[in-house]
Amino acid sequence: MKNRNLIISLALLGSLAVAGTAQAEGKIYIGAKAGIVQDDNSGFDDAISAGVYGGYNLFGKDAHFTADLRGGTLAVEGEANLTVVKGDADPVAGDGDFTSFGAFAAYRHPLTDYFYLKGKAGLVHYTIDTDFQSNRYGDTKNTLALGIGAGWKVGPGSLEAELAAYGSDVRMLSAGFHMSF
């Protein structure tokens, strides 16, 4: 399962990189992120995940379609996250594993030339697997996801921090860096 997810993530990153070289500067972006995953189910400690994300600026300044979005940009964005440090699952010393794939509409609104706010909404498919000493438990959901964040343009890319809610059960606090092509 993990090898399949890793292959899918690398394929997503590779396809975005290839597409990025064919597009005008600033329309395509790809990056990496890491974060803390919190599950509301009792007995689960936070897990640490890492992933890739990327998108295509559709509407707004320097986007595919020029539109007046009050200076902001609307993009389609995809992401894939995998657990790098499992969260402990009590009461019987098990481990929790988190995997997610999502597709979003992401809006970035500039505050200055270097700082911006970000909001996103979309659909996420996530899986939480736990491995207890006596049995395995897994939960897979397709759900609505909402996120808010902020970014800072540095050098050739942007640093972003965001808080996303996957349905009512899972939250992810993450930081990432992406570059535009």
Side-chain angles (χ1 to χ4, degrees), residues 36-83:
I36 297 171
V37 178
Q38 300 172 330
D39 185 353
D40 273 350
N41 295 314
S42 63
F44 288 90
D45 289 340
D46 298 346
I48 298 175
S49 73
V52 295
Y53 71 106
Y56 186 74
N57 292 320
L58 282 177
F59 298 101
K61 182 181 176 189
D62 298 327
H64 186 81
F65 299 105
T66 303
D68 182 13
L69 299 178
R70 306 258 185 222
T73 304
L74 182 65
V76 291
E77 187 171 284
E79 70 177 33
N81 295 294
L82 304 168
T83 301

Side-chain angles (χ1 to χ4, degrees), residues 14 18 36 50 64 95 98 101 110 126 130 140 142 147 170 176 179:
V18 170
I36 297 171
H64 186 81
D95 291 325
F98 175 81
F101 300 96
Y126 73 85
T130 58
T140 299
N142 296 313
V170 176
M179 294 180 61

Side-chain angles (χ1 to χ4, degrees), residues 32-38 46-52 80-86 98 160-164 166 171-176:
K33 66 192 304 184
I36 297 171
V37 178
Q38 300 172 330
D46 298 346
I48 298 175
S49 73
V52 295
N81 295 294
L82 304 168
T83 301
V84 291
V85 177
K86 294 181 179 185
F98 175 81
E160 285 187 347
E162 78 179 26
L163 175 62
Y166 299 167
R171 285 175 307 285
M172 183 172 180
L173 178 63
S174 64

